[in-house]
Amino acid sequence: MKPPIRLGVIGCADIALRRMLPAFAAAPEIDLVAVASRTPAKASSTAAHFDCRAVTGYKELLNQPEIEAVYIPLPAALHSEWIETALTAGKHVLAEKPLTTDPRQTKQLLNLARNQGLTLMENVMFIHHPQHTKVQQLVTEGAIGELRAFHSAFTIPPPADGDIRYNPDLGGGALLDIGYYPLRAALHFLGPELEVVAAHLTTRRDHRVETSGAALLRAPEGVTAQITFGMENAYVSRYELWGSKGRISVDRAFTLPADFTPAIELNQGTLTDRITLEAADQVTATVSAFVAEIRAATPPADTISRQAALLDELRRRSS
């Protein structure tokens, strides 16, 4: 049995505390070594809860020679600096999405990771849930005939005032935080040659960032993708694949709890089949995927760069 990957965490963001740190602590293939914060008290309380070492300052954690890999849950605008610093220090990196707020920076970091022989993975958890593998299988087997269109929506209620998603200086806004999901799902099913046809972003009230948006994309063979997203709406998390003979619908597509029993609805003419799957933990699956990429020395995925380019194109098309 291979020894666990010795991991450190840079920052005590909410997603780290709620989702990733518990998963790291429970994973047999991970040795959670340390957690860093700029605030000593926060580092100490977090480390005590997860039975690891507290470190004050992000650079101090990267200076720990026994740490092989790091997880970075900092605000998006800080990703580029700390991913580069971590890679330069010889650490594998799992970073929250988006990898950066600039496609050129994303491309540079991917090249740096490749040149260093290091893993750089974007923390997109939903793609590791088996329900999407089942959907892809159904499409490949011709369950809905020839694919014609993809529709997806991800919307959430308004965050509390003061939430970093309202701060443009930290990479806030609905596009990078919420729109990322349906766009990534479109890439997942339709491939990297998607192009933005039209886009619209809406900014409401006194916010300095977009709070909702929509886009139309197309693949070379003519398949279209329509996505809707926002952080001023009732909760919706779903996608549909439309084909020449039927339709596949997935509800609760992006943020499934570990104990949630997913179901795929397959419509074929007048027949409807509800395919129920076993519950699965996409957070645990993501941690395992990160470890697998490190051990296999897998180069960073080109999808990361394509996603960054599409997000940038979507924003430019909407201005």
Side-chain angles (χ1 to χ4, degrees):
M1 183 176 180
K2 295 182 179 180
I5 301 298
R6 298 185 298 275
L7 181 113
V9 176
I10 296 179
C12 301
D14 180 63
I15 190 169
L17 298 175
R18 288 189 300 105
R19 308 294 298 277
M20 300 308 296
L21 275 163
F24 291 140
E29 63 263 54
I30 290 286
D31 177 8
L32 182 57
V33 175
V35 60
S37 174
R38 293 171 297 181
T39 306
K42 193 166 189 178
S44 295
S45 63
T46 303
H49 187 74
F50 292 101
D51 193 25
C52 62
R53 190 167 70 247
V55 176
T56 302
Y58 306 151
K59 285 187 178 179
E60 183 61 28
L61 184 139
L62 292 173
N63 287 335
Q64 309 296 314
E66 70 273 28
I67 292 177
E68 302 170 86
V70 295
Y71 165 60
I72 301 177
L74 301 172
L78 303 180
H79 286 182
S80 181
E81 174 188 356
W82 289 106
I83 292 171
E84 181 178 6
T85 304
L87 291 172
T88 303
K91 315 296 185 186
H92 303 285
V93 176
L94 172 64
E96 275 306 318
K97 53 82 189 162
L99 201 68
T100 79
T101 59
D102 184 321
R104 292 166 298 182
Q105 292 177 343
T106 295
K107 191 171 184 178
Q108 289 169 0
L109 292 174
L110 294 171
N111 287 335
L112 176 60
R114 293 185 183 108
N115 292 337
Q116 295 277 85
L118 294 168
T119 293
L120 174 56
M121 181 172 154
E122 201 170 31
N123 193 26
V124 188
M125 292 184 281
F126 81 89
I127 63 172
H128 300 288
H129 196 286
Q131 70 171 336
H132 311 297
T133 303
K134 180 62 177 179
V135 170
Q136 188 65 69
Q137 178 189 340
L138 290 169
V139 173
T140 301
E141 292 174 349
I144 58 172
E146 293 185 15
L147 190 58
R148 302 292 194 222
F150 174 86
H151 294 246
S152 183
F154 187 37
T155 61
I156 65 170
D161 291 340
D163 191 286
I164 64 170
R165 283 170 285 193
Y166 291 129
N167 188 337
D169 298 328
L170 295 178
L175 175 59
L176 295 184
D177 192 70
I178 312 297
Y180 187 103
Y181 291 86
L183 180 59
R184 183 65 180 81
L187 270 176
H188 186 73
F189 289 109
L190 304 185
E193 296 184 20
L194 272 178
E195 296 180 347
V196 178
V197 176
H200 177 72
L201 298 177
T202 299
T203 302
R204 298 194 189 279
R205 301 194 298 270
D206 57 349
H207 296 305
R208 296 184 294 150
V209 298
E210 74 281 350
T211 50
S212 63
L216 173 66
L217 304 96
R218 69 175 169 222
E221 63 274 18
V223 179
T224 58
Q226 297 181 44
I227 66 172
T228 304
F229 54 92
M231 53 185 192
E232 55 179 1
N233 317 76
Y235 180 82
V236 177
S237 174
R238 70 188 324 271
Y239 64 74
E240 290 189 342
L241 291 157
W242 296 2
S244 58
K245 298 192 304 182
R247 183 179 77 253
I248 294 171
S249 303
V250 175
D251 209 352
R252 296 300 297 271
F254 305 123
T255 56
L256 283 77
D259 60 353
F260 183 82
T261 302
I264 299 166
E265 187 175 282
L266 174 61
N267 297 95
Q268 297 171 306
T270 59
L271 302 175
T272 298
D273 185 17
R274 186 173 176 84
I275 303 168
T276 302
L277 307 177
E278 292 184 3
D281 186 353
Q282 63 188 29
V283 186
T284 298
T286 301
V287 172
S288 295
F290 181 50
V291 171
E293 290 199 6
I294 292 173
R295 289 176 172 166
T298 305
D302 291 334
T303 307
I304 300 174
S305 182
R306 186 63 190 138
Q307 171 87 8
L310 285 173
L311 286 166
D312 185 63
E313 175 70 8
L314 198 155
R315 186 178 296 282
R316 287 189 287 109
R317 283 296 189 98
S318 69
S319 59

